[in-house]
Amino acid sequence: MNTFLNCPTDEARLWKPLKEEKVQCRLCAHFCVIAEAERGRCGVRVNRQGRLYTLVRDTVAALNLDPVEKKPLYHYFPGTKTLSLGTMGCNLSCSFCQNSSLSQPPRRGEAVRGERVQAEAVVDLAVRSKAASISYTYSEPTVFFELVEDVATRAGERGLGNIIVSNGFQSRECLESWGPLINAANIDLKAFTEGFYKDICGAGLQPVLDNLKIIRGLGWWLEVTTLLIPGLNDDPGELRAMADFICRELGPQTPWHLSRFHPDHVMLDRPPTPPQTLRRAWEIGKESGLFHVYVGNITGVAGEQTECSGCGAALLRRNGFQAANIGMRDGACRACGAPVEGHGMEIMPLEAST
Ligand code: SF4
């Protein structure tokens, strides 16, 4: 296959030319065929005279210093900060999108906004801010693949981790290109039916399931998130199938984050997820054998602290996005000595009062 890599300028990577000045983008599982002067479905990759260009090579629309717990990643260097960045654009069109002002305008053909940045300057800022990692997040990092590669390469050289927060709808080529650069990922598993992905997200389920297994094989630390939307993806049978998939195919050590839905974007006709639905989903995850199931966007339901997968002792206590070590020493349970699943668990100091 004649796929273009390592092009200077704003020319895109991972595409191939077709007849009549068309191109095929190879970045995500849509594999858009794009005619001259047209954009792909994400709205940020454009065919100019038979070559594919990215509109977000160095145009950052959001940049913040966050607790890594906010991604959410609960088992990757807990208690550290991550410099989070995103551009505009997304390859999906979820009607419940909670970042639609960033993700959707380019899909409607609107202009791409943001500040131009140099990869080296982003990494300098992360180092100055004492971040342990850089997160590619907010919209969908797949569509700013080139920026991720450029920043992540330099970040790795400076000893920083690289985190992808993604819908998991990449091509295999995209994931394998990122392979050695990325250390951790939080991937959405939005539902467990093709109908949901097709009708509500404009995508498909199977590529996401395939990619979760590829990511596991790449050795990145992996956590999975599901936003529970009343009446759409909260059927107990569907949740059990999802939990069984995670446990069987990705491993019981894979943390599963169950997130509360709030009406947003064009999905305004549904109520927030009831606490009892989140509690039942948490129970299903635990019954399926997952060691770590968490409930987010709400407090007091279940799954706020991390417990030892060996003896059940409390290890990490959370208050919002703050985590405190109450039961680990050197990355192992202080009570039974079992190693705690994750990366960088050993760096967290034991809370003084315990
Ligand atoms: S990233 Fe995906 S949606 Fe965007 S042009 Fe490429 S194949 Fe199409």
Side-chain angles (χ1 to χ4, degrees):
M1 181 192 308
N2 186 11
T3 297
F4 284 67
L5 284 162
N6 300 320
C7 305
T9 78
D10 289 345
E11 194 164 304
R13 300 171 191 160
L14 296 188
W15 60 278
K16 68 174 187 176
L18 302 174
K19 291 179 186 163
E20 299 166 352
E21 291 205 330
K22 290 181 180 168
V23 300
Q24 185 184 45
C25 178
R26 308 280 312 168
L27 198 47
C28 89
H30 286 312
F31 296 108
C32 296
V33 172
I34 310 170
E36 208 281 316
E38 298 289 332
R39 296 185 191 186
R41 290 170 72 156
C42 56
V44 295
R45 294 169 84 78
V46 60
N47 177 346
R48 294 190 189 124
Q49 298 179 318
R51 303 191 75 78
L52 190 64
Y53 291 83
T54 168
L55 303 178
V56 289
R57 173 67 180 266
D58 55 5
T59 309
V60 168
L63 182 69
N64 293 293
L65 191 64
D66 289 328
V68 72
E69 283 77 10
K70 198 172 179 181
K71 298 304 96 190
L73 281 178
Y74 281 7
H75 290 248
Y76 181 79
F77 291 91
T80 62
K81 301 282 189 211
T82 185
L83 185 68
S84 303
L85 66 91
T87 71
M88 295 185 78
C90 187
N91 50 349
L92 268 58
S93 53
C94 305
S95 56
F96 53 86
C97 181
Q98 311 211 324
N99 255 333
S100 60
S101 63
L102 281 185
S103 67
Q104 299 302 305
R107 295 177 61 94
R108 300 191 292 264
E110 296 174 19
V112 171
R113 300 186 312 273
E115 298 277 331
R116 302 207 84 167
V117 297
Q118 301 272 335
E120 198 63 54
V122 173
V123 177
D124 283 344
L125 177 60
V127 170
R128 279 203 311 280
S129 307
K130 300 193 178 348
S133 57
I134 297 180
S135 292
Y136 310 94
T137 178
Y138 298 132
S139 50
E140 172 49 50
T142 305
V143 308
F144 56 94
F145 170 85
E146 294 81 3
L147 179 62
V148 174
E149 274 203 339
D150 293 349
V151 175
T153 300
R154 289 164 177 78
E157 290 165 359
R158 304 272 296 270
L160 298 171
N162 287 296
I163 295 168
I164 292 290
V165 182
S166 169
N167 58 36
F169 198 67
Q170 296 87 356
S171 66
R172 176 183 275 272
E173 292 155 271
C174 172
L175 287 176
E176 290 181 346
S177 297
W178 275 342
L181 299 175
I182 303 301
N183 305 98
N186 187 301
I187 304 293
D188 285 344
L189 183 54
K190 295 172 187 285
F192 214 59
T193 64
E194 288 291 348
F196 181 103
Y197 268 88
K198 178 169 175 285
D199 298 342
I200 298 179
C201 304
L205 169 64
Q206 193 59 49
V208 179
L209 300 182
D210 294 343
N211 286 344
L212 284 164
K213 291 189 266 185
I214 291 171
I215 289 171
R216 171 60 69 219
L218 288 170
W220 305 351
W221 176 253
L222 173 62
E223 305 193 16
V224 173
T225 294
T226 302
L227 181 74
L228 287 183
I229 306 174
L232 287 181
N233 64 355
D234 61 349
D235 173 76
E238 182 177 344
L239 291 171
R240 187 169 300 283
M242 203 181 298
D244 287 347
F245 169 85
I246 297 170
C247 195
R248 187 182 63 247
E249 300 292 345
L250 310 179
Q253 77 282 10
T254 310
W256 189 25
H257 298 265
L258 300 159
S259 229
R260 190 184 203 199
F261 165 81
H262 296 280
D264 213 327
H265 190 33
V266 295
M267 189 176 281
L268 301 172
D269 60 339
R270 308 226 164 219
T273 320
Q276 58 270 32
T277 302
L278 291 156
R279 171 81 201 182
R280 183 69 193 117
W282 179 84
E283 289 168 353
I284 287 170
K286 297 297 282 183
E287 288 161 10
S288 292
L290 292 172
F291 298 156
H292 306 291
V293 185
Y294 299 107
V295 173
N297 286 352
I298 187 171
T299 57
V301 173
E304 282 166 24
Q305 63 181 17
T306 296
E307 292 165 357
C308 174
S309 59
C311 70
L315 301 176
L316 286 170
R317 183 177 56 216
R318 292 193 182 75
N319 181 12
F321 297 121
Q322 303 301 316
N325 176 7
I326 56 171
M328 289 190 305
R329 181 173 288 135
D330 300 330
C333 172
R334 205 160 48 132
C336 75
V340 183
E341 299 79 14
H343 290 189
M345 307 304 283
E346 68 284 355
I347 70 159
M348 200 165 200
L350 197 59
E351 195 173 63
S353 61
T354 60

